[in-house]
Amino acid sequence: MDDVRMMKYLRAALLDPGAVNPSVETLLHAFLPYKFIDHTHANAVLAVANQPKGEKICRDIYGNRLVIVPYVMPGYPLAHVAMRHWEPRPDAEGMILLHHGIFTWGETAREAYEKMIRFVGMAESHIRSQEKKTARHKTKAGSPTAGSVLPVLRGVLASSFGNGNWRRWILEYRDSPSIRAFLASPRLRRLTGSSVVTPEQVIRNKPFPWVAPTPGTDGVAWGDRLRRELLAYRARYDAYFRRHSKKSRDKKTPLDSTPRVVLVPGVGMFGVGRTAAEAKVSADVFENSIRILQDAESVGRFQSIPEREIFEVEYWSLEQAKVAKGPGPALAGQVAVVTGGGGGIGEATARTLAKAGAHVAVLDLQGEKAATVAGEIGGMGLACDVTRPSEVGSAFEAVVKRWGGVDLVVSNAGAAWQGRIGEVETVLLRKSFELNFFAHQTVAQHAVRIMQRQGTGGCLLFNVSKQAVNPGPDFGPYGLPKASTFFLLRQYAVDYGKDGIRSNGVNADRVRSGLLTAGMIRQRARARGISEGEYMGGNLLGTEVLAEDVAEAFLALALCKKTTGAVLSVDGGNMAAALR
């Protein structure tokens, strides 16, 4: 019986036909005649079992208390091999599968659990008795920071499909004394040549990580070197695929060759994934592998399973089913920043972008509101006064460190001040310009710097206003800086189009929000001599525009790959505000 027939057999035996597929090791567990079985991939056991003399080391530690089974690919064949080794030893207290894990059993859950703790503890004690002291690695003065490395690395990893279409990745950065010591080890290349410590790891992290070059002072030169070495990594993976797919009985389709773990000596480790969750899993798995590799070297010399076996697991349909996914939502893999995202248009936009697959950082003057919105959409909430360049810089640095870069910015934060322009105080007009113009410039500057380092284009979106082209009475303190922002977005389109960075805006009108409050609605209606209802629905469609309508416009512009320098009106129809 092959594995596909085995899974069909197991699915036919399910009590709930809608349940997920049973483990491929179900029959291995079932063949053993014990009520409770614990099965783990304990670090210490893998460290002593993943050795050229793994069986001997395990016998030295455990004597005859455990059955030792040589590596066999998980599934139906492993169940048979394990049974053949167990049958002469029914008195054994557990079983070690070399390069795989450990089983313990008993008639009660406590009995099986306590055996597991005892035997893993014995492996830990053996490792401690063999440990060699290693020198601590100290970061050199002037070493590159993660913030400067991440956008460049993320841009190099992205795959271009032409016409502004990129497959972007999310990065999870890790740095610890253990990781630093591993990256500084003279054995790094050998240990990462084939670092699979347990078979299933390969479906998350590929058969080997990418050891990238250490950054220098010249970021452009480092980026060029990264691209060359990534090509070498991809060629190595493609050769690995061709080498082993020729020996397969069925036709194999190559998986993408993007590394899922990147090691940068002097900087740290990076998990790579289409989502933050995937990147975190890759980082978790390899950070744990580092501990196992270090412990294995304390005991002797780490040895993975043969490359051919790694390939069989990576391209095993039953394992790929665990991670196989479709193309994903429209903004999959993208990182977005929304200012003024704690309420109104900003909140609606943050929710809309997150629903479209983006990882969204919500910035707001009121950090609590930003955190609340971010928590509900799985994003990142930051308190930020966009009129303070230092706070804007710190916010973008935090976003880069969290996800690797920035692809999309919605510069939305603003406030509306009123007054007859010939009578308004200069200090109020300057205050409005600081928030409604200069803050947009500050946000855009920081975003563009990151986008340029990534080299994958990007999108700037500005919340302008119909006031920029159709000023209302007594609203000059708000309309004047908004008109400047209208031309600001066009200037970014002119200056950065060659970098693939698009710059567009939305001219919304009469949208209830923290900016257009109930009190302001009364004042604006009074200024025009109409009722509040007439004011809010005073457009060609005769309907009130909602924050969600503006958010949909921002999403539409984010997806318009060949549109820049454009402004989209969301006002229900106002010919006086139409661009000519």
Side-chain angles (χ1 to χ4, degrees), residues 131-144:
E131 277 180 341
K132 309 160 190 146
K133 289 187 177 180
T134 56
R136 291 188 178 182
H137 176 74
K138 293 184 179 180
T139 303
K140 295 179 182 178
S143 293

Side-chain angles (χ1 to χ4, degrees), residues 150-159 166 227 453-456:
L150 277 157
V152 179
L153 177 60
R154 183 167 180 259
V156 168
L157 287 169
S159 301
W166 290 90
R227 290 180 185 88
R453 289 204 296 271
Q454 291 175 157
T456 57

Side-chain angles (χ1 to χ4, degrees), residues 2-14 21:
D2 61 25
D3 291 321
V4 173
R5 291 177 61 199
M6 177 188 76
M7 293 308 297
K8 289 180 179 178
Y9 176 86
L10 293 176
R11 284 208 61 80
L14 286 171
N21 277 338

Side-chain angles (χ1 to χ4, degrees), residues 28 33 48 70 102 107 113 146-147 191 193 199 218 254 268 310 346-347 355 376 418 446 451 523 531 552 554 575:
L28 170 56
V48 299
I102 178 173
E107 289 306 306
Y113 171 77
L191 291 175
D218 187 340
I310 294 173
E347 177 182 351
K355 189 175 180 180
E376 292 174 357
Q418 301 182 68
H446 280 86
M451 291 173 183
Q523 292 177 6
S531 70
E552 290 294 336
F554 279 127
M575 294 309 297

Side-chain angles (χ1 to χ4, degrees), residues 65-145:
R65 300 176 70 179
L66 302 181
V67 176
I68 311 296
V69 180
Y71 176 79
V72 176
M73 184 172 167
Y76 193 58
L78 174 59
H80 278 280
V81 171
M83 282 306 297
R84 286 202 301 272
H85 281 75
W86 171 83
E87 283 170 346
R89 295 285 318 286
D91 58 330
E93 299 175 68
M95 176 185 292
I96 286 181
L97 307 180
L98 296 177
H99 301 281
H100 184 137
I102 178 173
F103 289 76
T104 54
W105 45 65
E107 289 306 306
T108 67
R110 176 171 293 277
E111 181 185 0
Y113 171 77
E114 288 181 347
K115 285 180 181 178
M116 179 64 69
I117 298 302
R118 185 183 314 123
F119 291 131
V120 172
M122 291 170 69
E124 290 172 342
S125 297
H126 179 78
I127 291 168
R128 284 194 297 271
S129 71
Q130 303 292 315
E131 277 180 341
K132 309 160 190 146
K133 289 187 177 180
T134 56
R136 291 188 178 182
H137 176 74
K138 293 184 179 180
T139 303
K140 295 179 182 178
S143 293
T145 63

